[in-house]
């Protein structure tokens, strides 16, 4: 039952790690008010000054990478190598990227008026204030402090509500951030469940939410009460299309990694595979061989897969697999909890004979499952790939690059990887986000920092005339002038009609 304490458990051993106090609505209000004070000073710092603190933070993360890996693996159960290779790599790279590029994206932009040449127009960006970040448990550093980096570079304060399952990484990250020289209260972490997150929405100036579609809708509803902006990075059911001319070996390797990395608990995991008939069996054989060779176990060992992170998620995976089998799916590998461990280990699983009436194909799974479908041609593959309420990431494998581009244009997803998978997430210059129910807004690229800003347009008169044509008084002469002007400027084929008498008044 929910109370005023959160018990953080290791999903790999099911042992209790620690207990933390839950932030009340009053705690949230106080935290945001303190963040507001800190932000007022932070926004006066130059980009170079902000970047300097971030670089120091990066050095401290590298110095403490062992401790970070201890904390992250303890609360998620993921392999240690993934902490260095994914979470820490992303953090360090993203800091360098935003430190170098933030100013480029949010510096004042001159706009040349196409008609009113007597005006100078500039669009400027200023920080939005206090940003609330609400995060899930699958990447406890990337989706908390990682998301905070562009917000901080833009001059904002951030208050983070990490997942109740994995709050320790963000708490330690903020400890390091303090040591790095960020002003007190500029970055804060509030521990709690949904209630704490809802209270956060009631106080901050903007919400950056990453999580499930269902919670995302609740976040948007609450934010609508105050009309504050929200960005929603939500779930996915990402399709992979393998055409008959694909490099099958590369496609199979990309599929196994793209579907099973972090035990498949990635928003952009490959969750449906459509393979053209002529290569279907070869592809399936390769996938089964590769999946059977994977090692699963405790995070500190040499393994590809650790435990899952959430008990609830594991039950969802079990129920989807059971339903699919009841409806005729066949399991070629895995398909059960790993009996060698007491924690939340689910074996990497390959399934065939799946179809679109099954939850495993319709709904996000967020687990280590590869469901593969045979399709007769690329038309069918594309139709099925687009037959989903989600639209986050996707991939297509073929040697015909021209054809791949055609598919990329038609696929209904925020990103498409051609002969690759998932890797778009770690390119901070490339906008990333969802179509359909996979979300609103983008992280990364220009949009990834401008969303943390207010945009303002400043217009300056250049000539200083005593009055302008459109100002009062409005005379008949002016009306006549405008009437003629409309024809002169906008009427199609004006060159022919301009001087024709019949066209000047009635035309
Ligand atoms: P979740 O939606 O259950 O929880 C996410 C966060 O929302 C948590 O911090 C939770 O405490 C909070 N929350 C719960 N109820 C709330 C409420 N009523 N109002 C506001 N906040 C509330 O998601 P999860 O199970 O932690 O994470 C898995 C989901 O996250 C998956 O659907 C996955 O696809 C998605 N995800 C998306 C991306 C992306 O970039 N698109 C990245 C990672 C994960």
């Amino acid at each position: 039952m929910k109370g005023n304490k959160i018990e953080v458990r290791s999903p790999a051993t099911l042992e209790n790690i620690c207990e933390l106090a839950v932030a009340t609505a009053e705690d949230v209000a106080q935290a945001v008010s303190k963040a507001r004070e800190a932000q007022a000073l932070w926004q006066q710092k130059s980009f170079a000054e902000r970047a300097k603190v971030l670089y120091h933070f990066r050095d401290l993360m590298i110095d403490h990478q062992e401790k970070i890996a201890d904390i992250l693996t303890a609360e998620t159960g993921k392999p240690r190598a993934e902490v260095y290779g994914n979470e820490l790599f992303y953090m360090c790279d993203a800091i360098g990227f935003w430190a170098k590029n933030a100013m480029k994206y949010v510096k004042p932009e001159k706009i040349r008026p196409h008609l009113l040449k007597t005006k100078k127009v500039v669009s400027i960006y200023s920080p939005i204030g206090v940003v609330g970040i609400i995060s899930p448990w699958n990447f406890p550093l990337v989706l908390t402090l990682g998301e905070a980096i562009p917000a901080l570079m833009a001059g904002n304060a951030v208050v983070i509500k990490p997942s109740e399952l994995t709050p320790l990484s963000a708490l330690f990250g903020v400890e390091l951030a303090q040591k790095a020289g960020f002003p007190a209260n500029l970055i804060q972490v509030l521990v709690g469940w949904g209630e704490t997150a809802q209270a956060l929405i009631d106080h901050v100036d903007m919400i950056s939410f990453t999580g499930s579609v269902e919670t995302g809708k609740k976040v948007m509803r609450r934010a609508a009460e105050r009309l504050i902006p929200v960005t929603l990075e939500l779930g996915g059911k990402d399709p992979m299309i393998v055409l008959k001319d694909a490099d099958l070996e590369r496609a199979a390797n990309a599929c196994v990694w793209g579907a099973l990395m972090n035990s498949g608990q990635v928003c952009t995991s490959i969750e449906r595979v459509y393979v053209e008939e002529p290569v279907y069996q070869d592809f399936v054989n390769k996938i089964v061989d590769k999946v059977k060779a994977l090692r699963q176990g405790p995070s500190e060992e040499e393994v590809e897969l650790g435990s899952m992170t959430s008990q609830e998620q594991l039950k969802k995976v079990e129920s989807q697999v059971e339903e699919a089998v009841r409806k005729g799916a066949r399991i070629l590998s895995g398909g059960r909890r790993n009996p060698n461990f007491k924690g939340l280990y689910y074996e990497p699983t390959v399934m065939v004979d799946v179809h679109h009436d099954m939850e495993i194909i319709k709904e996000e799974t967020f687990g280590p499952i590869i469901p593969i479908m045979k399709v007769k041609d690329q038309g069918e593959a594309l139709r099925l790939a687009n037959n989903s309420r989600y639209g986050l990431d996707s991939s297509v494998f073929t040697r015909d690059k021209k054809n791949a581009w055609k598919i990329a244009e038609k696929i209904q997803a925020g990103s498409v990887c051609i002969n690759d998978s998932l890797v778009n997430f770690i390119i901070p210059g490339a906008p990333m986000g969802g179509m359909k129910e996979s979300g609103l807004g983008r992280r990364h690229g220009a949009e990834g920092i401008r969303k943390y800003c207010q945009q303002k347009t400043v217009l300056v008169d250049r000539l200083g005339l005593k009055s302008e044509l459109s100002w009062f008084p409005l005379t008949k002469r002016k009306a006549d002038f405008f009437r003629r002007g409309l024809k002169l400027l906008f009427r199609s084929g004006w060159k022919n009609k301009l001087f024709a008498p019949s066209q000047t008044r009635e035309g």
Side-chain angles (χ1 to χ4, degrees):
M1 213 183 89
K2 288 183 183 175
N4 56 5
K5 289 253 179 332
I6 276 183
E7 201 175 283
V8 185
R9 280 174 175 271
S10 153
T13 63
L14 305 184
E15 279 160 17
N16 188 354
I17 301 176
C18 67
E19 273 188 355
L20 298 169
V22 167
T24 62
E26 200 177 310
D27 296 333
V28 174
Q30 276 181 17
V32 175
S33 153
K34 286 184 199 158
R36 224 171 265 300
E37 283 172 27
Q39 190 271 332
L41 298 174
W42 179 247
Q43 78 167 351
Q44 288 167 21
K45 305 249 182 233
S46 67
F47 285 98
E49 286 170 317
R50 293 177 202 155
K52 196 171 160 200
V53 188
L54 270 168
Y55 281 130
H56 192 193
F57 176 46
R58 180 164 80 174
D59 288 344
L60 288 179
M61 275 195 294
I62 293 171
D63 293 347
H64 290 81
Q65 51 180 315
E66 297 312 320
K67 174 124 195 232
I68 292 174
D70 289 344
I71 295 172
L72 247 154
T73 53
E75 65 180 359
T76 64
K78 64 174 79 188
R80 207 171 174 89
E82 282 193 355
V83 176
Y84 307 122
N86 297 341
E87 297 255 11
L88 277 169
F89 177 87
Y90 177 93
M91 290 298 295
C92 294
D93 183 49
I95 285 175
F97 175 82
W98 289 114
K100 284 196 200 95
N101 293 292
M103 195 171 98
K104 175 181 90 184
Y105 290 132
V106 297
K107 69 176 185 213
E109 278 179 334
K110 253 193 194 166
I111 295 164
R112 283 174 183 275
H114 70 292
L115 272 183
L116 298 181
K117 304 284 185 201
T118 57
K119 312 295 171 192
K120 174 178 166 184
V121 183
V122 184
S123 173
I124 58 173
Y125 294 92
S126 52
I128 204 159
V130 181
V131 173
I133 296 179
I134 305 174
S135 318
W137 41 259
N138 56 334
F139 289 98
L141 209 51
V142 167
L143 299 174
T144 55
L145 283 148
E147 191 55 40
I149 299 165
L152 292 165
M153 273 308 293
N156 297 286
V158 296
V159 180
I160 301 168
K161 208 303 279 172
S163 167
E164 54 276 25
L165 296 179
T166 57
L168 300 177
S169 309
L171 283 168
F172 184 64
V174 167
E175 217 180 294
L176 289 185
Q178 297 293 339
K179 283 192 189 141
F182 281 106
N185 303 318
L186 189 78
I187 314 172
Q188 296 176 64
V189 172
L190 295 171
V191 174
W193 284 283
E195 292 75 15
T196 306
Q198 291 266 311
L200 188 62
I201 303 170
D202 293 342
H203 294 281
V204 292
D205 303 309
M206 187 239 164
I207 284 287
S208 170
F209 174 81
T210 307
S212 62
V213 173
E214 287 61 37
T215 313
K217 288 179 184 174
K218 289 183 194 158
V219 167
M220 197 162 177
R221 251 177 247 133
R222 186 80 165 219
E225 293 295 323
R226 298 182 53 232
L227 270 185
I228 56 166
V230 288
T231 55
L232 303 174
E233 299 287 348
L234 308 179
K237 187 77 198 167
D238 297 353
M240 171 184 190
I241 296 177
V242 183
L243 298 183
K244 55 180 184 272
D245 65 345
D247 176 342
L248 277 200
E249 184 61 18
R250 180 169 173 83
N253 283 328
C255 176
V256 170
W257 178 73
L260 303 179
M261 197 263 276
N262 201 28
S263 286
Q265 304 164 116
V266 183
C267 53
T268 54
S269 281
I270 293 170
E271 293 216 354
R272 302 175 279 154
V273 188
Y274 302 102
V275 188
E276 266 194 306
E277 201 168 356
V279 294
Y280 171 80
Q281 201 50 54
D282 275 4
F283 182 80
V284 169
N285 294 344
K286 277 181 187 292
I287 294 285
V288 171
D289 288 349
K290 289 174 194 299
V291 169
K292 283 189 170 157
L294 296 174
R295 299 159 298 176
Q296 186 170 41
S299 56
E300 62 278 7
E301 287 178 15
E302 225 174 55
V303 291
E304 283 75 44
L305 278 87
S307 75
M308 291 185 66
T309 302
S310 145
Q311 179 90 43
E312 209 180 304
Q313 195 59 43
L314 188 141
K315 285 187 187 151
K316 188 175 165 195
V317 171
E318 285 182 317
S319 118
Q320 285 192 2
V321 171
E322 276 164 28
E323 191 238 23
V325 169
R326 241 189 355 264
K327 289 185 170 170
R330 275 185 307 130
I331 293 171
L332 302 185
S333 176
R336 56 173 190 170
R337 281 185 189 223
N338 190 324
N340 300 325
F341 305 104
K342 130 168 160 234
L344 310 182
Y345 289 85
Y346 196 91
E347 289 182 349
T349 298
V350 185
M351 299 184 86
V352 291
D353 298 345
V354 287
H355 53 73
H356 274 246
D357 289 334
M358 297 171 177
E359 295 282 300
I360 205 109
I361 290 290
K362 281 193 304 195
E363 289 307 322
E364 185 179 47
T365 304
F366 224 58
I369 315 291
I370 310 181
I372 311 176
M373 275 182 79
K374 189 187 330 181
V375 290
K376 68 175 187 307
D377 56 26
Q378 101 174 30
E380 185 180 17
L382 195 56
R383 186 176 55 75
L384 291 174
N386 286 341
N387 181 13
S388 171
R389 69 177 173 124
Y390 300 97
L392 194 56
D393 209 344
S394 57
S395 51
V396 53
F397 283 76
T398 166
R399 286 195 170 87
D400 181 346
K401 296 258 166 71
K402 234 174 159 181
N403 188 30
W405 270 94
K406 276 191 205 153
I407 294 175
E409 276 163 23
K410 288 184 186 153
I411 217 156
Q412 293 164 2
S415 337
V416 191
C417 295
I418 296 175
N419 297 328
D420 219 322
S421 62
L422 261 67
V423 74
N424 53 306
F425 192 96
I426 59 158
I427 300 174
M432 193 260 158
M435 285 187 186
K436 301 199 246 182
E437 290 201 36
S438 287
L440 294 172
R442 294 288 179 266
R443 57 163 49 99
H444 300 157
E447 175 66 15
I449 185 163
R450 288 179 181 166
K451 68 184 179 184
Y452 293 128
C453 298
Q454 299 275 13
Q455 189 175 16
K456 191 183 285 175
T457 303
V458 181
L459 179 144
V460 187
D461 173 58
R462 287 176 196 274
L463 295 187
L465 300 174
K466 296 291 176 220
S467 182
E468 301 264 343
L469 191 61
S470 56
W471 294 2
F472 297 151
L474 296 179
T475 59
K476 197 169 168 301
R477 211 165 144 232
K478 275 192 187 176
D480 219 35
F481 180 82
F482 289 138
R483 198 181 297 123
R484 279 164 193 268
L486 285 173
K487 282 181 189 159
L488 187 69
L489 288 170
F490 305 119
R491 182 85 193 247
S492 317
W494 62 272
K495 276 183 197 154
N496 299 332
K497 293 171 188 160
L498 190 60
F499 302 108
S502 62
Q503 296 282 317
T504 50
R505 280 192 186 270
E506 298 83 28

